[in-house]
Amino acid sequence: MKVKFYKDSNFEVNLEKLVSVLNSISRYITFEYSAEAVQFDKNELISPISYGKKLPDNIQEESKDYFAILVFTNNQYYNNFFFETDSNIYILSFANWNLLTNIGKSNGAIFFMTSILCDEMHIGKTHDESIGCINDFWWDKRSIDVGMRSAYLCADCKNEFLKNTLNKIEEQVLNDISTFLDLIAQYSRAEKDILEVDLSAYNKNNANVFDVFLCHNSADKPQIGEIGKQLKKLGITVWLDEEQIKPGTLWQVELEKNIASIKSALVFVGENDFGPWQDLEIRVFLSEFVKRGCPVIPVILEDCAIVPELPLFLRQMMWVDMRKTNPNPILQMKWGITGKR
């Protein structure tokens, strides 16, 4: 699931930093942002139904590839709402924010984003009264202050969602939403901007979340270990069997436990061809790729004189060729893993 952020030129929040924070604590949802500023030609927004069609064509086109697109602005809605939509594109207004709360707009952006996720996933129902639940309607806009300080999903909303059997995607989205709400509540109560604090505690809690799994033939382990080190220098968390599996335990069992918390896979092919367990690992990740958009990236190692015939589904993927230096293969891997070029 992917969510993308845009803003107009007057909105102060650093979207690059916001996306970095969200991706560091999110297990399932991937966040992106655009450096392109959206220009609104009026100070007042009529509604997305009328104004949304005036957004750049590329945003309309991108909406097909994203679960939601959020556009942040300081312009005000004619009906004084925080946000409206007529599709999966939301325009969010932070007009007169300083009159409503002392909590920063960064916290508010994450709070509204979480509310939109709940709405899109049909997690609970809108409350007319303000009880501090993420699904409050906020008729009195000043109640947004209480909402961010409490930032929780009430028992009624959660239980209604849990009545139906959750699939893996719904379960992971719900876990991410709970993480976002905990983050918002903790720092909003302290009146601290989420983008200005040390989130190491949250990253520690997510220590078992990995950006990429290195699928390889054990005969290639020295090369793979060096590649893992280079990826770590770029801030990528790596799942490598010898680092994550305690001696004496079954690695297949440990991998199965962690596979839902790994966001992508690099599949390495060298002169030693595929290892005996590699094909099974690839098939498991293919299943994950289908279910949750997990990138599976083939990598041809430097010592590979003749590229072996790849499994059918891998042939369809754009691979990284380490026998070439341009473009930089490590940076190509990072691009495939993070989605950031």
Side-chain angles (χ1 to χ4, degrees):
M1 180 185 292
K2 297 191 297 182
V3 176
K4 189 166 186 177
F5 298 145
Y6 281 84
K7 69 174 183 175
D8 67 17
S9 56
N10 296 318
F11 190 69
E12 310 92 320
V13 173
N14 183 330
L15 293 189
E16 181 178 10
K17 198 169 183 180
L18 185 73
V19 162
S20 177
V21 166
L22 290 172
N23 282 331
S24 74
I25 63 173
S26 173
R27 288 174 177 260
Y28 177 74
I29 307 167
T30 300
F31 296 91
E32 300 176 13
Y33 77 99
S34 174
E36 173 192 357
V38 177
Q39 299 298 327
F40 293 101
D41 57 10
K42 293 182 180 179
N43 291 328
E44 184 179 84
L45 302 172
I46 301 302
S47 74
I49 295 175
S50 60
Y51 206 102
K53 293 180 174 61
K54 299 179 184 178
L55 290 171
D57 291 341
N58 64 297
I59 296 182
Q60 304 286 350
E61 186 64 26
E62 283 181 349
S63 66
K64 302 172 185 176
D65 300 321
Y66 290 87
F67 185 75
I69 292 180
L70 279 57
V71 184
F72 301 107
T73 178
N74 289 321
N75 290 16
Q76 185 168 356
Y77 275 111
Y78 79 105
N79 57 13
N80 208 30
F81 282 4
F82 284 117
F83 55 84
E84 284 192 308
T85 186
D86 67 330
S87 61
N88 65 333
I89 302 174
Y90 289 78
I91 302 176
L92 296 93
S93 169
F94 284 76
N96 301 314
W97 185 257
N98 63 311
L99 302 180
L100 305 175
T101 179
N102 293 325
I103 301 169
K105 291 182 181 179
S106 302
N107 300 34
I110 299 175
F111 186 68
F112 288 147
M113 178 272 298
T114 308
S115 174
I116 287 169
L117 289 175
C118 286
D119 186 54
E120 290 284 345
M121 292 293 296
H122 306 292
I123 301 175
K125 294 181 179 179
T126 301
H127 302 288
D128 280 337
E129 70 280 12
S130 293
I131 61 174
C133 176
I134 189 65
N135 287 323
D136 289 353
F137 188 78
W138 313 302
W139 287 102
D140 182 344
K141 294 184 75 172
R142 292 172 299 180
S143 61
I144 194 68
D145 183 90
V146 175
M148 286 189 289
R149 294 174 194 273
S150 57
Y152 79 110
L153 185 67
C154 74
D156 289 343
C157 286
K158 190 170 185 178
N159 290 336
E160 181 178 340
F161 186 62
L162 293 173
K163 281 180 184 177
N164 301 316
T165 301
L166 291 180
N167 59 40
K168 201 172 192 67
I169 292 176
E170 291 174 331
E171 181 181 353
Q172 291 184 343
V173 171
L174 186 59
N175 287 338
D176 276 352
I177 285 173
S178 297
T179 300
F180 301 151
L181 291 172
D182 288 343
L183 181 74
I184 296 161
Q186 177 172 333
Y187 292 109
S188 295
R189 289 170 190 164
E191 296 186 2
K192 292 182 179 179
D193 187 319
I194 288 173
L195 301 190
E196 303 301 326
V197 297
D198 180 7
L199 295 180
S200 57
Y202 278 90
N203 292 331
K204 185 176 180 179
N205 289 338
N206 282 280
N208 292 324
V209 179
F210 296 87
D211 292 318
V212 65
F213 167 63
L214 306 186
C215 178
H216 62 284
N217 187 323
S218 59
D220 297 320
K221 197 169 289 294
Q223 296 179 71
I224 305 307
E226 182 58 35
I227 292 169
K229 290 177 183 178
Q230 293 183 59
L231 291 173
K232 289 176 186 177
K233 289 180 181 178
L234 297 176
I236 294 171
T237 53
V238 173
W239 199 99
L240 186 59
D241 51 6
E242 63 182 15
E243 295 178 352
Q244 306 302 330
I245 299 178
K246 183 175 66 175
T249 57
L250 292 172
W251 71 263
Q252 297 94 333
V253 174
E254 291 302 310
L255 176 58
E256 187 175 354
K257 286 180 185 177
N258 287 277
I259 209 165
S261 299
I262 303 174
K263 297 180 180 180
S264 65
L266 293 174
V267 180
F268 294 94
V269 182
E271 66 174 358
N272 297 303
D273 209 331
F274 291 104
W277 282 99
Q278 214 169 355
D279 188 55
L280 175 60
E281 295 167 3
I282 294 170
R283 292 181 186 280
V284 172
F285 263 98
L286 176 62
S287 175
E288 287 293 300
F289 175 79
V290 172
K291 286 191 292 184
R292 59 184 176 94
C294 174
V296 180
I297 307 159
V299 180
I300 310 301
L301 292 170
E302 292 180 77
D303 62 6
C304 192
I306 300 176
V307 179
E309 185 172 347
L310 300 177
L312 182 60
F313 69 88
L314 274 182
R315 293 177 213 162
Q316 303 171 32
M317 309 294 186
M318 180 64 74
W319 60 29
V320 174
D321 193 340
M322 295 197 69
R323 300 170 302 177
K324 300 178 181 179
T325 57
N326 188 21
N328 185 305
I330 296 297
L331 295 183
Q332 289 291 99
M333 291 181 216
K334 180 186 178 184
W335 183 14
I337 294 165
T338 66
K340 298 176 185 178
R341 192 167 189 172

